Structures are given as structure tokens and as C-alpha cells.
Amino acid sequence: MDPTIASHSGDKGRVLADNSKACGGTFLLVLTGSLYFAQGIPLGLIFQAFPALLREAGVALEIIAWVPALGLPWAFKFLWAPWVDTCWSEYLGRRRTWLLSMQCLMILAVVGLVMTPIGPDAAWLPMALLFIASLVSATQDIATDGLAAERLRGSALVGVNALSVGGMMAGVMVGGAGTLLLVDSLGYSATISLLVVALSACAIPVLIWREGPLAREKMSANASLLRGIGRPCFFPVLAVAGLYASVHTTEVTLTKLFLVDAGWRLDRIGLIAVIGGLAMIIPGCGGASWLLMKTGTWRSAMAGLSLCVLAVSIMMLFAFGLAIPSLLTVAVATVLGSVGLALVAVAIFTIAMRFSSGGSQTGTDVTLFKSANVVSEIVVASAVTMVAAKAGYGLGFGLGLGLFAIAITSVLVARHRTSNLDLEP
């Protein structure tokens, strides 16, 4: 049996056997990686591709303004996470019940998009289908995180968190930038059909997998939000999960707006976004796995935050007119921020999964931390944009530096408060 597959109760580890010989640590990494990739595709459609597609089809901006709201299930999925931990089919398995059913529903929703035209008088139905895809992908993420936290340890747990960040970003790029790149040459229906093929391929590992038994004490019969919130040291970890991305959110939110106002063409801004995404996936997530195993979770988190604040500082120099932004210098800042986010995200969610695996409702507990992250990013993006509108981009980026001070303080406090827990991979 692969020694990286394990679960623990309290301070002790418990080795888990899987019924299928194929389902070692490597197969579980393939399984979870494909699921994270699939879950990113609807988000890429919602936040990147569909607003542009609708506008090109002549849909009014007043309707397009509602498209980002289709991603709200990712912010509020903690509300139904206890059901995912509590209700399942004995025949399919605790996690496979949700992984398989949600993946099928996601495919059906995107198939619906293929068959649904878009235009000035045909926008709400495709938006409803996207909302369904967002809802089921967010629900599937609860089960995916629960599976990873329950069954993976050591380098495999670090790897799955790298896959969570990198795989999700790859899915967003395929659903977003990939759709926009192909739609002119292939047409709308053919391009969305390729996404159906990608989602169907991601379902294959779930079909192959046969979920092995989990220790009964790890299966909560009455998972609840209050049980998760009531665990010792929950709030220090929650604060870190909510604040870790605030510096990067400041940079990403304001950089695009700043460059537009500086007269940059949209294709150059798009190129910067692609560079940032690739940096997060390749050197970011790969480097995060290596650094975390070498230095530990908390040091990796602090290193990532430091790179993020360096990126914000560079952009602040441009905003105050102390340096002239060029494609190279902005790309450097973007790469620093993206690699930094990958480092801190992999570290923080390795901590969150280790913390959550000590209880009996891992999906619910991990989801609480992820939802805190999403809500915080929404609040920070709005706040820094408002500051930039009222006081200029320089002070907007400056707010990011203030958020860094809060984030790094929360990391130090959480590290101290959880020193008696084993939160290393």
C-alpha cells in the first residue's frame, strides 16, 4: 500500500487500505488533479469568456453585468458542505457519490450550452446553464477537497494542493482564454463541444476508481458548520485562509485597470494575464511543492507573501510615476505575484487540509476555509478599486501593502497558536 495514503484521528495516524490496487497515491493525484481541472472550466467561462461572447452577440451590458454573480456558489458552498459530508450512497462510496454525479451534471450543463444559442434575446438561458455548472462544480470541489484531506499525506498532500492551484488555473485558462482563442475559427458550438470532450475525459478516472473503506470514526453522521467552527484553533487558521490572497488580489485587480487607463492595448494586457497564469502553474506550483517539502508550510507561506508584496511594490512605483511601465517590467511584477500566490496558496491549503483531516467532516471544514478565501477576495477587490477611484492607483496599491502586514501577522499568530498541532504534510 502506498504510504502516502493515510488518515488520522486526533494526534495519531491511521493507514487506510484501498480496495483497488490501482488507487495508490499516484492514481489519487491523477484523480484529484483531473477534477480540479474540470472545476476550473466553468469559472473560465463565467469570468473570462462569456462576458465577451455575450457582448459580441449584441447582449446589453445591463445583462452581462450579472454574469460574475454566476460564480457565487463558490463563495457560499459552505452552506451545503455538511450534506456532502453526511449523505452518500453506500454502493458508490462517500466521495465517489458526489464526484461522479456532479461531474455528470457539469457535462450535461455544458452540453446544454452547445445546444443553446446566444444573442440579445437569448442570454438568460445560457446564463442559467452556467449557473448550474458553477453550482455543481463548487459542490464537487467540496468532495474533492474532502477526499484529498482524508487520504493523502506527506508529499502527496503537498502535490494535491499544487494540483488544486495549478489544475484549477489550467481549467480557467482552457474555459476562458482557450474558448476566446478558438471561437472565431471553429465557431461557438464546436468550441464549447471541445469543452464537453475535456470534461468527459476528466470523468474517466472517477469511473475507474473504486472507493475503499474509510474508518467509521472519520465519517460524521451529523456534519455541521458549528462543529467545524467550534474546533480549537479554527479561527487562526480561518484568518490565514481568508487573508493570504489579499495582496495578490490587489495587484491583479488594479494592474489591469491601471494599464487600461495608461493607454495599453487589450492584447498586451491579455498577454500579461497569460504570462501570469503560466507562471502560477509551472514554476509557481512546481516550486511550491519543492520549497514546502524543504522548508515547511509556514516558511513557504511567508516566502510567497513576500514575493506578492514585491510585485505590488513594483506596480505602486508605476502608479506614483516613479518608473515607466513596460511590457517586460509589468511581466516581471506579474510573474513575481503569480509565483508568490502559488507558494502561499499551496502552503495554506496544505495546512487547512491537515487541520481538517483531524476531524470527521473534512469536506465541510476545508470548504469553510476556501469560502473564506473567496469572500475575502471579493471584498478586497472591491475595496482597492474604490480606494483607487477616490484617491488614485498609488494609494490603491498602497492598501495592498497594508493588507500584507495584516496577512503576515495572521500567519505568525496562527503558527504560534497551532504549534501543538501537526500541520506539516
Side-chain angles (χ1 to χ4, degrees), residues 213 270 301 306:
S306 299

Side-chain angles (χ1 to χ4, degrees), residues 336-347:
L336 288 173
S338 298
V339 172
L341 177 65
L343 289 176
V344 67
V346 172

Side-chain angles (χ1 to χ4, degrees), residues 59-294:
V59 176
L61 289 176
E62 289 81 0
I63 295 177
I64 296 174
W66 288 96
V67 174
L70 304 180
L72 283 177
W74 282 82
F76 295 101
K77 60 182 180 172
F78 67 91
L79 295 174
W80 59 90
W83 294 343
V84 178
D85 270 333
T86 303
C87 304
W88 71 89
S89 163
E90 292 284 352
Y91 175 74
L92 291 176
R94 186 190 194 193
R95 298 307 180 191
R96 191 166 179 263
T97 296
W98 291 95
L99 297 177
L100 189 58
S101 59
M102 293 301 104
Q103 188 70 13
C104 290
L105 288 173
M106 200 187 315
I107 292 170
L108 290 174
V110 180
V111 168
L113 288 176
V114 176
M115 302 170 63
T116 305
I118 58 174
D121 299 319
W124 293 109
L125 180 55
M127 287 171 61
L129 290 168
L130 271 181
F131 179 80
I132 293 172
S134 174
L135 177 64
V136 300
S137 65
T139 304
Q140 187 186 78
D141 189 59
I142 299 169
T144 307
D145 288 338
L147 169 66
E150 286 165 352
R151 295 182 178 267
L152 296 175
R153 291 292 177 270
S155 60
L157 183 62
V158 176
V160 83
N161 279 286
L163 286 172
S164 173
V165 177
M168 189 79 72
M169 176 57 66
V172 168
M173 290 180 66
V174 168
T179 297
L180 293 176
L181 286 172
L182 294 177
V183 71
D184 283 339
S185 57
L186 298 182
Y188 172 79
S189 295
T191 301
I192 303 301
S193 295
L194 290 178
L195 298 183
V196 173
V197 173
L199 290 171
S200 300
C202 291
I204 293 175
V206 188
L207 291 170
I208 296 173
W209 183 46
R210 292 297 179 266
E211 186 171 0
L214 191 66
R216 297 304 301 181
E217 64 267 24
K218 299 297 293 180
M219 298 186 184
S220 175
N222 55 343
S224 71
L225 300 179
L226 291 178
R227 173 178 289 184
I229 293 172
R231 292 184 59 192
C233 300
F234 172 84
F235 285 104
V237 179
L238 183 72
V240 171
L243 293 169
Y244 82 86
S246 57
V247 187
H248 181 73
T249 300
T250 300
E251 181 221 334
V252 170
T253 301
L254 294 185
T255 293
K256 293 177 182 178
L257 299 174
F258 171 73
L259 293 177
V260 168
D261 287 350
W264 281 42
R265 298 193 311 270
L266 291 179
D267 58 345
R268 296 185 79 197
I269 298 174
L271 177 60
I272 290 294
V274 170
I275 290 171
L278 293 175
M280 186 181 300
I281 295 170
I282 302 173
C285 292
S289 299
W290 176 83
L291 183 65
L292 197 149
M293 294 305 297
K294 289 290 185 180

Side-chain angles (χ1 to χ4, degrees), residues 365-395:
D365 291 348
V366 175
T367 298
L368 283 167
F369 297 129
K370 283 199 168 182
S371 293
N373 166 244
V374 174
V375 172
S376 175
E377 288 190 10
I378 293 172
V379 172
V380 169
S382 298
V384 297
T385 302
M386 190 174 299
V387 169
K390 298 293 185 180
Y393 285 109
L395 290 182

